[in-house]
Amino acid sequence: MIHRYKLNGYNIVLDVYSGSVHVVDDVAYDMIGLYAEKSVAEIVHQIQSTYPDVTREEILECMEDIAALKDAGKLFSKDTYEGVAEHLVKREPVLKALCLHVAHTCDLNCSYCFASQGKYSGERALMSFEVGKRALDFLVENSGSRRNLEVDFFGGEPLCNWEVVKELVAYARSIEKDAGKNFRFTLTTNGMQINDEVIEFANREMHNVVLSLDGRRAVHDRFRVDHAGLGSYDRILPKFKKLVAAREGKGYYMRGTFTHLNTDFTEDILHMADQGFDQLSMEPVVCSPNDPCALTEADLPILYQQYEKLAAEMIQRNKEGRGFTFYHYMIDLGHGPCIYKRIAGCGSGTEYLAVTPWGELYPCHQFVGDPAYSMGNIWDGIQNSALQEKFGKCNAYSRPQCQECWAKLYCSGGCAANAYHTSGDIEGIYEYGCKLFKKRMECAIMVKAAEAEMCEEE
Amino acid sequence: KRIKTIETKDLAKSVENGGCGECQTSCKTPCEKK
């Protein structure tokens, strides 16, 4: 399977099953489009009709190049991975990541919060050290031979339970050497309680820090307000700048959410870049279609244009030496994920679990609070093995709608939670999300083509 | 030359040398062995 598209002056051909990317001229673009269906004579005739200046010899030379790429397995390659998907379904689940809900409470009151202002439709609660310690032991016990283990301190707002976060990091560090493990901690925060002590600790211990900022002040303060209804932008921005400056190159993301009310979200990303942040992420809101901030079908062309505008702006700023990264455009074509990872995806419910303040296990943070998706607890382990099995079957090959999709080895079949919340089934698809994903991947690959061109020019 | 191929990882080869599982989980915002 191939996918051809034109974007920002580039003609790009993606060979889906080999992962090969080709940048071609108009003649080759049209010829590749005809190659599988037409005879050589028909292709020559059609190309000469469209491009009168191109000789028959040149067309035949290009045909040879296409045939050579096909023979090399870099064009029109076949799908040979169904067996890999079957292997993934049969293998025993090995845990490697936990989302620790250390606080089901929050000092902000954002109306668009998927976690209902941090409470996950339940009671406010803080995780005790004892529960967190047991969760870390549970992770080590169920991680098999995996060395790298990930723990995200999440909420609600994890800084509402900061002392426990620090105690849990200290505990993990005390056991990791003997256990033969390497803990990688991450922290997701709204920034309200950041102070010098948080900055010092986070920059020493956290592999990544995610800082919630929606962009321009008016956009951010529309939703991200405290319990008195006051916007948080002016309070958190200086703290974020201080934390990032002290981070000295360690990973972080400025992470925003855009909604129907700011479909010009590229302006918010550029605002963050202009504030000096250079590792950026901006995600579409996922909420009830009846919500006034829900994205609509009519928004789609605007969002496509925004993603394209962002890609072009990133290329330009990169040339000017003031580039920034955008989460979705970070693809490693040369050393990216293996086919197992591309098919399996995030591993929710199998490799990755969320732990509530009470020690209950869920497939991921987006299912927390839904009793139908409770999987067990950190003392007794997985109690609902049928549910875990169902999540284990979710992959790029499990959904009929994905079979002919060129992007399936990039999205791995998409997000089970989004599928569930929009279609009622984790094995469904979130079609709106698919459309945005495909546009983002087209932009990401185009940015890589531009980078390759820049390297050639240098 | 009408076709430029960007150097990319050969996915088919990773059937043999992939699957170690040491990479980061990816959702909440390279292969570990490169």
Side-chain angles (χ1 to χ4, degrees):
Chain A
M1 189 196 308
I2 62 167
H3 175 61
R4 298 181 308 146
Y5 64 99
K6 298 187 176 194
L7 183 58
N8 197 31
Y10 294 92
N11 300 341
I12 293 174
V13 180
L14 168 68
D15 186 57
V16 172
Y17 297 116
S18 70
S20 298
V21 175
H22 311 282
V23 182
V24 304
D25 72 359
D26 288 338
V27 172
Y29 186 87
D30 287 357
M31 287 176 67
I32 290 170
L34 298 167
Y35 190 84
E37 304 292 332
K38 302 286 185 184
S39 69
V40 173
E42 287 172 320
I43 292 173
V44 170
H45 175 72
Q46 192 158 330
I47 294 297
Q48 283 194 309
S49 303
T50 310
Y51 305 97
D53 294 342
V54 179
T55 67
R56 176 184 168 81
E57 287 68 31
E58 287 174 318
I59 295 169
L60 292 175
E61 185 185 349
C62 189
M63 286 289 282
E64 285 177 12
D65 289 343
I66 294 170
L69 286 169
K70 185 181 178 187
D71 291 345
K74 294 184 173 184
L75 203 55
F76 303 109
S77 61
K78 301 292 183 195
D79 183 358
T80 57
Y81 304 133
E82 202 138 5
V84 174
E86 288 168 10
H87 163 76
L88 289 171
V89 168
K90 287 174 185 165
R91 72 178 180 182
E92 280 295 307
V94 175
L95 188 61
K96 68 177 189 182
L98 287 183
C99 179
L100 281 191
H101 288 229
V102 291
H104 273 195
T105 186
C106 189
D107 44 7
L108 288 185
N109 191 28
C110 315
S111 61
Y112 66 3
C113 179
F114 82 93
S116 57
Q117 293 73 52
K119 301 190 298 292
Y120 290 85
S121 307
E123 297 297 314
R124 293 186 185 281
L126 298 177
M127 181 180 283
S128 68
F129 170 70
E130 288 69 28
V131 168
K133 176 175 177 286
R134 174 60 205 143
L136 294 174
D137 289 338
F138 175 79
L139 173 58
V140 170
E141 289 162 11
N142 289 279
S143 60
S145 61
R146 295 283 185 278
R147 182 170 178 276
N148 292 322
L149 304 181
E150 295 152 45
V151 176
D152 185 32
F153 293 109
F154 201 64
E157 172 51 50
L159 295 188
C160 290
N161 199 8
W162 182 235
E163 291 305 316
V164 166
V165 169
K166 289 189 293 183
E167 289 173 18
L168 291 173
V169 170
Y171 175 68
R173 295 293 181 224
S174 75
I175 63 170
E176 66 181 348
K177 192 175 177 186
D178 286 346
K181 304 295 181 185
N182 172 43
F183 279 99
R184 290 193 286 211
F185 294 107
T186 56
L187 174 73
T188 302
T189 178
N190 63 32
M192 292 289 282
Q193 297 181 56
I194 287 177
N195 57 31
D196 288 350
E197 190 250 348
V198 168
I199 289 173
E200 190 279 327
F201 186 87
N203 288 349
R204 175 160 43 88
E205 294 288 0
M206 299 295 166
H207 178 74
N208 202 320
V209 179
V210 176
L211 309 169
S212 298
L213 179 69
D214 281 353
R216 294 163 290 184
R217 178 189 282 108
V219 170
H220 180 93
D221 282 349
R222 181 183 289 135
F223 291 111
R224 303 192 68 81
V225 298
D226 63 17
H227 290 272
L230 301 171
S232 56
Y233 179 94
D234 287 327
R235 282 177 279 177
I236 61 168
L237 191 66
K239 296 179 180 190
F240 285 164
K241 286 183 175 179
K242 191 170 185 180
L243 187 148
V244 168
R247 202 135 174 84
E248 296 181 332
K250 287 182 85 171
Y252 73 93
Y253 278 108
M254 307 309 298
R255 198 281 193 199
T257 299
F258 70 84
T259 74
H260 174 66
L261 303 175
N262 66 313
T263 51
D264 61 344
F265 64 87
T266 291
E267 298 307 317
D268 293 294
I269 295 172
L270 297 179
H271 174 77
M272 292 198 271
D274 292 340
Q275 293 296 317
F277 301 118
D278 63 0
Q279 297 179 44
L280 312 178
S281 152
M282 181 67 74
E283 306 309 322
V285 71
V286 177
C287 59
S288 161
N290 303 321
D291 193 305
C293 72
L295 294 163
T296 67
E297 284 296 323
D299 290 335
L300 270 174
I302 302 166
L303 303 182
Y304 292 161
Q305 184 268 336
Q306 288 288 300
Y307 280 123
E308 292 181 10
K309 179 181 175 183
L310 172 63
E313 182 69 19
M314 286 177 68
I315 292 167
Q316 184 56 37
R317 289 193 182 209
N318 197 21
K319 285 178 180 170
E320 294 167 2
R322 55 190 188 111
F324 60 87
T325 63
F326 177 57
Y327 181 88
H328 290 291
Y329 294 176
M330 294 171 73
I331 56 171
D332 185 336
L333 294 176
H335 302 283
C338 64
I339 191 65
Y340 296 91
K341 169 84 166 175
R342 281 170 173 250
I343 290 174
C346 65
S348 60
T350 55
E351 294 183 328
Y352 170 90
L353 296 170
V355 185
T356 69
W358 307 276
E360 199 175 2
L361 295 169
Y362 283 88
C364 90
H365 54 288
Q366 289 207 53
F367 289 97
V368 167
D370 184 339
Y373 283 86
S374 175
M375 296 184 76
N377 63 68
I378 53 176
W379 296 276
D380 305 314
I382 298 294
Q383 305 289 288
N384 191 343
S385 53
L387 187 59
Q388 183 168 61
E389 204 171 293
K390 188 170 182 180
F391 273 87
K393 287 178 181 169
C394 273
N395 62 50
Y397 283 80
S398 62
R399 298 167 174 87
Q401 304 96 316
C402 303
Q403 292 316 298
E404 297 304 315
C405 178
W406 65 267
K408 68 180 176 186
L409 294 181
Y410 290 92
C411 80
S412 312
C415 168
N418 283 352
Y420 172 61
H421 291 130
T422 53
S423 75
D425 185 355
I426 64 168
E427 291 178 312
I429 59 167
Y430 171 39
E431 203 167 344
Y432 197 95
C434 293
K435 289 173 180 172
L436 293 181
F437 184 90
K438 284 188 267 196
K439 171 52 73 178
R440 290 193 300 251
M441 287 314 304
E442 287 185 342
C443 290
I445 292 169
M446 183 277 288
V447 169
K448 287 295 171 188
E451 286 175 4
E453 187 178 69
M454 276 172 65
C455 287
E456 274 181 19
E457 288 169 359
E458 287 167 1
Chain B
K1 199 73 179 162
R2 297 182 182 278
I3 303 174
K4 283 182 190 169
T5 298
I6 297 176
E7 192 173 336
T8 54
K9 175 173 183 152
D10 185 340
L11 278 185
K13 277 187 184 165
S14 74
V15 173
E16 303 302 325
N17 63 15
C20 75
E22 294 292 354
C23 51
Q24 246 188 308
T25 305
S26 52
C27 178
K28 280 185 63 191
T29 41
C31 161
E32 191 77 17
K33 298 187 296 188
K34 280 281 183 185

